[in-house]
Amino acid sequence: MTRVVVTGGNGKLGRAVVAHLGEHGYEVVNLDRTGRPPQTRIDLTDYGQTAEALTGIDDRYGSVDAVVHLAAIPAPGLLPNAATFHNNMLATFNVFQAAKLAGITNVVWASSETVLGLPFTTPPPYIPVDEEYPARPESTYSLVKHLEEQMAAQFCRWNPELKMIGLRFSNVMDPEDYAEFPSFDADPRSRSWNLWGYIDARDGAQAVRKALEFEGTGTEVFIIANADTVMSRTSASLAAEVFPGVPVTKELGEHETLLSIDKARRVLGYEPEHSWRS
């Protein structure tokens, strides 16, 4: 049985990841600032706590095989910019460095769709967006996500046996959130900030597992979204109305996501199983 530490396991995505990995035979250790036993409470901005958590805590558990790092202040504006930067950047460095100390070579972490240029007040270079153009962070939160990707590349350069996969998750949704989706049709611009994308937490969890199980080394980043948009209107009509000057690089399916998941499908074998439409 593979023992996986999940940081931020009490969050919206974290809960789905903890459940999904458990259902697929993993032994999961949930590290979070909140919660009750058997969860372990931790402050990831404290390197000593982080290092101990990834090398084993007394009678709780011993060595760790892999890390899924989800813990963070989850969006811009929730705290002042400097506080967001300090918390998220330091916590991620501590997790990466503690994994190095513990000899863990399988690391998956939550990057973000925001590095693609959200909220797209400056239009994207083309549609659907993918991983091929340089990061365009437009907030301190997004800047940290970009720097995390750069930092992971250097950790992997230092250790050729290390695998670090950054998952650029779209806006995470639970099934109970879907009741609101039909109201989005009233104003197509209200959700254009992320090209009308979303990720069902259960499909996000599938992507985490696929990333853990991917056999490879080095750093890779993947956009993780659902296969469709949050809208009832066609994807082509949305792109034409809201981003009329942006090149569309392929023929779009009726409700096809404009956050390309082609790379995740091709490399990880990721395939969304859920949709708000069903």
Side-chain angles (χ1 to χ4, degrees):
M1 181 180 291
T2 300
R3 180 179 293 128
V4 179
V5 159
V6 176
T7 72
N10 293 344
K12 195 170 189 178
L13 177 60
R15 294 190 298 270
V17 169
V18 168
H20 181 83
L21 292 180
E23 290 165 1
H24 285 79
Y26 289 83
E27 179 187 343
V28 181
V29 177
N30 179 3
L31 303 181
D32 204 295
R33 277 184 171 174
T34 63
R36 299 176 179 177
Q39 299 162 12
T40 299
R41 298 183 66 174
I42 189 171
D43 178 1
L44 292 172
T45 65
D46 182 320
Y47 179 69
Q49 293 185 39
T50 309
E52 183 177 355
L54 296 192
T55 53
I57 298 179
D58 288 343
D59 60 349
R60 288 292 313 284
Y61 59 91
S63 61
V64 173
D65 301 305
V67 177
V68 176
H69 176 45
L70 308 177
I73 296 165
L78 299 179
L79 289 179
N81 289 340
T84 298
F85 186 93
H86 178 267
N87 183 90
N88 290 3
M89 196 75 232
L90 183 56
T92 298
F93 171 79
N94 285 349
V95 169
F96 288 3
Q97 181 67 18
K100 178 183 176 184
L101 174 72
I104 299 166
T105 58
N106 191 358
V107 178
V108 176
W109 89 97
S111 186
S112 169
E113 64 180 358
T114 61
V115 301
L116 298 166
L118 273 61
F120 290 130
T121 49
T122 299
Y126 50 81
I127 292 173
V129 296
D130 58 22
E131 300 87 351
E132 297 304 313
Y133 65 91
R136 300 168 58 177
E138 300 290 351
S139 67
T140 298
Y141 169 83
S142 181
L143 174 63
V144 172
K145 293 299 185 183
H146 171 55
L147 294 176
E148 289 173 356
E149 293 182 359
Q150 302 302 305
M151 180 166 59
Q154 299 310 312
F155 270 84
C156 288
R157 182 175 64 85
W158 295 338
N159 181 4
E161 297 181 358
L162 177 59
K163 180 191 76 178
M164 304 185 78
I165 294 183
L167 301 178
R168 294 175 172 180
F169 289 109
S170 187
N171 190 196
V172 179
M173 299 289 181
D174 285 330
E176 52 266 32
D177 296 321
Y178 293 152
E180 184 183 5
F181 278 32
S183 68
F184 298 152
D185 285 333
D187 178 9
R189 295 180 183 272
S190 69
R191 295 285 306 187
S192 63
W193 56 272
N194 77 336
L195 297 182
W196 307 279
Y198 74 107
I199 178 66
D200 186 294
R202 296 164 295 180
D203 284 318
Q206 178 214 148
V208 167
R209 178 174 58 84
K210 295 283 190 180
L212 286 171
E213 295 172 355
F214 175 69
E215 295 184 4
T217 57
T219 306
E220 290 282 359
V221 295
F222 299 90
I223 296 171
I224 302 298
N226 272 78
D228 59 345
T229 70
V230 302
M231 305 292 283
S232 298
R233 287 180 47 183
T234 68
S235 297
S237 71
L238 290 166
E241 176 180 340
V242 181
F243 298 103
V246 175
V248 177
T249 60
K250 61 181 288 188
E251 184 175 351
L252 297 170
E254 183 178 13
H255 301 297
E256 181 176 348
T257 177
L258 302 181
L259 303 170
S260 174
I261 55 175
D262 290 349
K263 181 181 178 184
R265 281 170 158 157
R266 182 178 69 253
V267 178
L268 298 180
Y270 166 70
E271 189 60 48
E273 297 175 352
H274 303 279
S275 170
W276 72 274
R277 300 173 203 279
S278 56

